[in-house]
Amino acid sequence: MSVTIDITGLPPEQIRFVPSPLAELTAMLHVLSEPNHHPELRGWATATTAALPPGLADRLLDAEALWRSARADFLIPGRPGATLADELDAVDRVSDEAYATAALTSQRATAAALGTPPSPLTDRAAREHALEVARAGGPRQAAFAERLLADPPAVRNWVRRLLQDCDESFFADTWQRTRHHLTADARQKSDLLSRKGPERTLAAVSSAITLDTTHRRQRIVIDKLQDVSTGTTTETGLTFIPSDFGRPHLTIVFSPGWHPVVQYPATVPGLAHPAPPELVQRRLDALAHPVRLRLCRTLARGPHTTGELAAYWQLTAPEVSRQLAVLKKAGLLITHRRGRYVRYEFDLTTGARLGTDLLEALLR
């Protein structure tokens, strides 16, 4: 499954890499809601939650439907501003109908962009469906949806005040520390785009993003839970927003009527990109075979030749060679040549990373 963004005919200058304070704040709020998605940030989440002023943590629980499973489209700006206040001002200019639709659609992580959805403020069926989904999420989520549908301006003001209080409580200081890294990452990707083109740039953004140039069209294909194709972006352009708190997620705005955006994990020196989803699948398939798993258990303890493995497990040398070829293609083996002998060893670093790669592929 994938999200496909059509960029046929889009000039390179219409592909922008820009940091966004609002997108990073709501990425942080997602971490506070789902710390298990972000094990490397669990310490930050625990310390930040413990330091929240009285009442703020409870208010965040009331609004977390906006960012827990998926983020409302207006929280990831298509045209990022210089400050959080600038971006909140832009959200204020969104119509009540678009705001309510985006807020309540965000409660469904698999929402499809097959057409402009009717607004729950004006369409009875959409309203009932939004309330049904919210009630399934629990009493807080249901109460938030009911309040939003009853009085959109009041809830919008309440959400803005909530985000401003987060800014005062923890975001402003954290943003000062992280914005320089995000600005540098955006600048580096922009420079790579101008020098090497979109294919190389997308590969640098994430191994889960590829460029499809078949049938005389250019499409960005992103491995995601959804299976959605967008229209052409030649009129709106496309924005990429780097994030330090979004890893491992690739968060995408693709709904009709909204500027398309991809928020991606910023590059961190020394931290490898998550493995491509097809490579994770290949490694899992390789280890699922009982003979190959048996060989890996031996090779994890030290290097062996094909002949040694065949004798140890009472297999033929050709059979061992076939199984080793599958493991090697999956990137699970290290080879050592000593004269005419080749010794194989299980790559412990890759094996240890496999669980993380799988989790990141599932959460992407």
Side-chain angles (χ1 to χ4, degrees):
M1 294 182 286
S2 60
V3 173
T4 303
I5 302 174
D6 192 340
I7 62 168
T8 304
L10 184 67
E13 60 271 17
Q14 288 297 310
I15 301 177
R16 294 176 288 270
F17 288 84
V18 191
S20 161
L22 179 57
E24 194 68 354
L25 168 56
T26 52
M28 293 179 189
L29 294 177
H30 170 75
V31 173
L32 296 180
S33 295
E34 292 285 5
N36 289 335
H37 287 193
H38 311 269
E40 75 284 359
L41 293 171
R42 195 174 290 125
W44 175 87
T46 300
T48 300
T49 300
L52 291 176
L56 181 55
D58 202 51
R59 291 160 61 203
L60 288 174
L61 289 176
D62 288 336
E64 69 175 4
L66 294 175
W67 49 71
R68 182 164 191 166
S69 295
R71 268 180 283 164
D73 290 337
F74 53 78
L75 296 177
I76 309 177
R79 295 176 175 85
T83 67
L84 178 63
D86 291 339
E87 294 183 328
L88 292 176
D89 288 344
V91 173
D92 287 344
R93 293 190 287 271
V94 174
S95 70
D96 284 346
E97 290 77 11
Y99 188 102
T101 301
L104 298 176
T105 300
S106 74
Q107 299 177 21
R108 292 178 289 149
T110 57
L114 300 178
T116 303
S119 171
L121 293 181
T122 56
D123 184 272
R124 182 175 179 178
R127 178 189 183 91
E128 289 304 315
H129 183 65
L131 288 172
E132 181 183 355
V133 172
R135 289 167 186 149
R140 284 182 182 269
Q141 190 166 317
F144 178 83
E146 289 166 359
R147 288 169 52 208
L148 177 59
L149 292 170
D151 191 352
V155 172
R156 294 179 64 165
N157 289 335
W158 181 87
V159 170
R160 175 165 182 150
R161 182 67 251 175
L162 173 65
L163 296 176
Q164 290 171 331
D165 288 346
C166 290
D167 184 38
E168 295 172 9
S169 174
F170 64 88
F171 177 70
D173 290 341
T174 308
W175 178 247
Q176 286 303 313
R177 293 194 298 272
T178 194
R179 68 184 180 91
H180 300 292
H181 175 234
L182 299 183
T183 300
D185 186 273
R187 186 182 301 116
Q188 187 270 335
K189 298 296 193 303
S190 297
D191 181 60
L192 186 63
L193 179 64
S194 64
R195 292 185 296 105
K196 301 294 184 179
E199 186 168 12
R200 285 281 298 276
T201 306
L202 294 173
V205 169
S206 171
S207 59
I209 304 179
T210 57
L211 183 66
D212 177 13
T213 57
T214 58
H215 307 298
R216 291 185 293 182
R217 303 196 70 82
Q218 279 195 321
R219 299 180 179 90
I220 295 173
V221 182
I222 307 172
D223 173 62
K224 288 292 289 182
L225 179 63
Q226 298 93 337
D227 198 0
V228 178
S229 295
T230 70
T232 179
T233 59
T234 51
E235 293 184 3
T236 59
L238 176 62
T239 301
F240 286 87
I241 298 176
S243 174
D244 278 339
F245 283 79
R247 188 180 311 274
H249 304 305
L250 284 168
T251 304
I252 308 171
V253 173
F254 52 76
S255 303
W258 297 93
H259 184 102
V261 186
V262 178
Q263 187 182 32
Y264 66 93
T267 301
V268 177
L271 183 62
H273 271 314
E278 61 274 9
L279 181 56
V280 175
Q281 181 68 59
R282 192 183 308 143
R283 287 172 176 169
L284 292 174
D285 290 343
L287 292 171
H289 193 286
V291 173
R292 290 194 289 269
L293 184 59
R294 200 181 308 157
L295 295 175
C296 286
R297 294 182 68 181
T298 303
L299 296 174
R301 289 163 172 77
H304 292 75
T305 65
T306 301
E308 289 171 340
L309 291 169
Y312 189 82
W313 288 111
Q314 298 181 348
L315 298 167
T316 66
E319 172 66 10
V320 171
S321 294
R322 282 194 297 270
Q323 304 299 352
L324 292 177
V326 174
L327 293 167
K328 187 175 181 181
K329 186 177 181 181
L332 293 168
L333 298 183
I334 301 170
T335 57
H336 308 274
R337 179 170 291 278
R338 302 284 174 81
R340 64 188 183 90
Y341 295 99
V342 177
R343 307 180 82 199
Y344 297 89
E345 183 178 8
F346 185 75
D347 189 335
L348 294 175
T349 300
T350 299
R353 173 75 195 179
L354 183 56
T356 301
D357 286 335
L358 174 60
L359 182 60
E360 290 181 346
L362 294 174
L363 292 174
R364 185 173 295 125

